Each structure stands twice: as structure tokens, then as C-alpha cells.
Amino acid sequence: MNNLNVEKSVTWQCPSNLAIVKYWGKYGKQLPQNASISMTLKEAKTITTLSWESKKNNDQNIALSFLFDGEKNKAFESKLTKFLTSIAIDYFPFLMNYELTIISKNTFPHSSGIASSASSMGALALCLCTMEKNILRNNVSDVEFIQKASHIARLGSGSASRSVIGHWAMWGLHPNFSEANNEYAVDLTPSVHPIFNSLKNDILIVSAEKKSVSSTAGHQLMENNPYAMARYAQANQRIVQLYSALQTGDVESFGMIAEAEALTLHALMMCSEPSYMLMEPASLAIIKKIRSFRADTKLPVYFSLDAGPNIHLLYPENISLQVQTLIDQDLLSQCQNFQVIRDGIGVGPSIL
Ligand code: PMV
């Protein structure tokens, strides 16, 4: 770091996450229309280094240089400058006094179609909170630190609020959960049955192309979706059902909810106005194969999708070998360039 001539720097790695009950629809400043529950991944991560040195002038703008995968990235740089400008006054006023350098990379292939906003915003928020701790020398507790990081991550990308917490996280107000709130995610892990703390999550890459409709646009389309209110109520009911399955170790109910939520998300897209689809023919082919494999073998393999065509295979660790055979024999041929990211539940972010 000496060659960068910086006074201080911090590096965090933060994983991505997969929502089982989905957040789809928002209001105000990145507030969710319904609660969501997610599993934090292990392998799909962003690693971010934030460095800072005192400014030589008094200007009060954010001064940022951003590198992605070792290369200057002007498009991300201006996006991030805007984001930092939007949060600096309220949350990190000291940022204006420093020249900032952010260097970021992902552990998953650059164009694998895996949304990196959750892991990248999570890693950035954690770096900012550590910088604050170093500069202000304040004594925040670990709980307060994670709450603020989750809150800041949320302002960058709603789902990122959950990525700063390991294993199982919940974000969004819900009448049955006194701690759950719209500002930051909370940790559900202590109540979760051990079978879910070694859950596998293999990501079958159907397409790595950029999505035709962004998540931001998708959330916006929920505002006029005729099914929106019913959807938000349904999601909150499914939170109750999912939580019960997670507590009791009921893998079958868990899988049914995961699949129903994934298909609901895509159904909402199809009945938005204008309508759109992010699933591809291969996504449907894989879903059918998973369901017929399950019917034939009675093995607990389920699927989920994010806002894209790729399929997440969810299953308990003890059937890994059988699922490997299913992937190799039946599913790999449907994947773009035979790409699969073998992932699973993870412990959450760490400082390097
Ligand atoms: O965090 P955003 O704005 O990218 O929205 C994410 C939405 C889903 O990934 C589809 C669902 C979720 O809860 O993560």
C-alpha cells in the first residue's frame, strides 16, 4: 500500500445472497414493500479496498478514483461518486476531507450473470463503516457496526442490506418479528435448524448477458402492477411459513416456498405493464428436469431464481453426490458454456 501513498486503508470481502422470500417493490428511500429472508452465499463475493488520504485543498466534493479488476472504471466511478455524495452529509460527513480510492473485484466470473450489487454494496458499506471507526475513533459495538453497514448497503441496493449478515438474514418490517425493520437487516441464524446451515446453492448459468430490464426498473413497475397489494400480503404470509420451516428443519416446505417465490417473482414481471420476461427457454427446461428428478428419486432438490434467467439449485449437503450426477448428466447441457458456480451457505463478510 505504500506505493499508493495513503494514510489508511481497509479491505473487506462480502458475499452475495439469495432471497428465498423475495423483495420486489419498494418506496421512499429504498424501503421494501414486504419483508424478505435470504441465505448468504460463500463463494460469490466482492473484495473491496478503500484507501484514503487527506485532501490538499478545501473543496467539499467527493473525490474518488475507482478501479475494478485492477483497471480504472469511469462508469462505476461516476455511479459511486453519486452514491457517496448522496450519503456523505447524513452518514459520513468526513468523506469530503479525503481523496478516496476504491479497488474492487469479484470472485465470480465477471460476466456470469450473477448480480454483484448485493456483494459490492455490502463490501463498500463495511469499508465505509471501518473508515469511520478509524477516523472518529468511536467505540461502536459490533451490533451497531453491522446495523449501520446494513443500513448503508441498503441505500446502495436493497438486497445488499442482507449480505453483511452470515447464514440467514431478514430485512423488512413484519408484525411477527419485533426486531425486523425496514432500515437494516437482522440475523435469523440463531433460530434456524442446523440442516439449513450447510445448505448447498449451485448456480446454473443459463445466460450471462446483461438483463433487458434492470432490477431498478422492475421495482418501479411494481408501482402499477395490478397484483401488487396481493403480492405484498402473500410475501408476508410466506415469511411466516418459511420461518417455521427454517426453525423445524422442514426441507420440503422450505423448497416449496423457495420455488413458489421464484415463480411468483417472474410472474410479476410477466404481468407488469409493460410486460417482460427474464427467464429463457433453458431456465424452464432446467426447472422441469429438477421437478421430474425430484418426483423420480424423492430427493429434496429445489430451485430458485433471482431477477434473471439463472437457476439456483438448493439442496442439503448430504445429497451432494446425487445432485452432482443430475447436473452432469441432465443440466449442464442447458448452461451457457457449461458454466456452474458451486456455492452454498456462508458465514458472511470478513475484514482482510
Ligand atoms: O437489491 P435490488 O434492488 O437489486 O433488488 C433485488 C431483488 C431480488 O434480487 C429479485 C430479490 C431479493 O430480495 O434479493
Side-chain angles (χ1 to χ4, degrees):
M1 281 294 154
N2 284 343
N3 53 351
L4 286 178
N5 191 27
V6 290
E7 291 175 53
K8 285 279 180 328
S9 105
V10 58
T11 300
W12 275 92
Q13 57 174 13
C14 184
S16 188
N17 71 78
L18 172 77
I20 304 301
V21 171
K22 312 283 186 187
Y23 142 66
W24 198 239
K26 61 181 172 181
Y27 67 97
K29 281 195 173 168
Q30 297 272 90
L31 300 169
Q33 292 282 12
N34 62 262
S36 54
I37 292 180
S38 61
M39 65 183 285
T40 297
L41 297 178
K42 187 152 108 195
E43 305 298 342
K45 287 182 294 200
T46 298
I47 299 158
T48 296
T49 299
L50 169 64
S51 315
W52 59 95
E53 59 177 314
S54 296
K55 271 189 186 165
K56 316 234 162 14
N57 59 34
N58 279 335
D59 100 52
Q60 286 299 291
N61 296 322
I62 292 291
L64 171 67
S65 175
F66 179 78
L67 284 84
F68 187 75
D69 271 346
E71 284 178 22
K72 188 111 178 130
N73 188 314
K74 279 278 171 199
F76 280 149
E77 185 174 284
S78 76
K79 240 177 152 175
L80 276 181
T81 302
K82 249 194 208 150
F83 174 62
L84 293 177
T85 305
S86 74
I87 59 170
I89 291 178
D90 289 342
Y91 300 99
F92 304 112
F94 57 85
L95 282 180
M96 327 286 202
N97 304 331
Y98 296 91
E99 308 260 357
L100 308 169
T101 303
I102 297 175
I103 301 173
S104 209
K105 65 176 180 205
N106 293 337
T107 56
F108 41 99
H110 181 40
S111 51
S112 59
I114 302 301
S116 55
S117 64
S119 53
S120 59
M121 282 301 164
L124 175 63
L126 289 158
C127 286
L128 289 167
C129 290
T130 301
M131 177 182 178
E132 175 181 47
K133 218 170 147 181
N134 285 5
I135 286 174
L136 304 185
R137 307 213 167 273
N138 55 4
N139 261 335
V140 289
S141 67
D142 288 352
V143 172
E144 288 168 325
F145 180 89
I146 289 296
Q147 282 177 0
K148 181 159 183 179
S150 172
H151 181 127
I152 298 299
R154 182 202 103 223
L155 295 172
S157 163
S159 55
S161 65
R162 300 180 309 242
S163 262
V164 302
I165 291 167
H167 299 102
W168 294 95
M170 172 172 178
W171 169 47
L173 270 174
H174 192 291
N176 295 24
F177 297 80
S178 56
E179 311 244 301
N181 70 88
N182 286 346
E183 301 297 328
Y184 54 83
V186 295
D187 189 359
L188 283 190
T189 315
S191 324
V192 172
H193 189 280
I195 193 159
F196 291 117
N197 283 328
S198 57
L199 200 69
K200 293 296 197 183
N201 187 331
D202 293 337
I203 312 167
L204 305 165
I205 307 302
V206 165
S207 168
E209 307 299 310
K210 198 174 176 321
K211 289 184 285 193
S212 57
V213 178
S214 69
S215 284
T216 308
H219 283 291
Q220 232 166 40
L221 284 170
M222 281 303 285
E223 287 167 24
N224 292 319
N225 188 307
Y227 302 104
M229 287 306 149
R231 159 61 193 161
Y232 304 143
Q234 175 195 56
N236 284 333
Q237 278 166 7
R238 283 184 177 157
I239 288 279
V240 177
Q241 294 158 359
L242 176 62
Y243 186 64
S244 160
L246 286 174
Q247 278 182 306
T248 56
D250 181 348
V251 176
E252 187 181 350
S253 299
F254 167 86
M256 290 297 139
I257 297 165
E259 294 192 355
E261 274 293 295
L263 296 177
T264 302
L265 171 69
H266 285 264
L268 288 164
M269 296 172 188
M270 291 185 212
C271 63
S272 289
E273 290 171 16
S275 156
Y276 65 105
M277 275 181 233
L278 297 183
M279 280 199 278
E280 294 290 336
S283 319
L284 289 178
I286 292 174
I287 288 172
K288 284 185 166 180
K289 288 192 173 186
I290 294 168
R291 285 186 163 172
S292 73
F293 177 82
R294 195 164 70 226
D296 293 347
T297 62
K298 308 280 177 267
L299 290 173
V301 190
Y302 302 93
F303 67 84
S304 180
L305 289 92
D306 241 324
N310 302 321
I311 304 286
H312 290 250
L313 261 188
L314 303 170
Y315 58 93
E317 195 179 24
N318 63 353
I319 59 163
S320 295
L321 274 181
Q322 292 96 316
V323 176
Q324 177 71 43
T325 309
L326 165 71
I327 294 175
D328 291 347
Q329 290 182 353
D330 283 340
L331 307 182
L332 217 49
S333 58
Q334 300 288 344
C335 298
Q336 192 175 46
N337 302 326
F338 306 99
Q339 257 196 103
V340 178
I341 298 176
R342 292 181 194 281
D343 212 331
I345 196 154
V347 297
S350 58
I351 194 163
L352 299 177

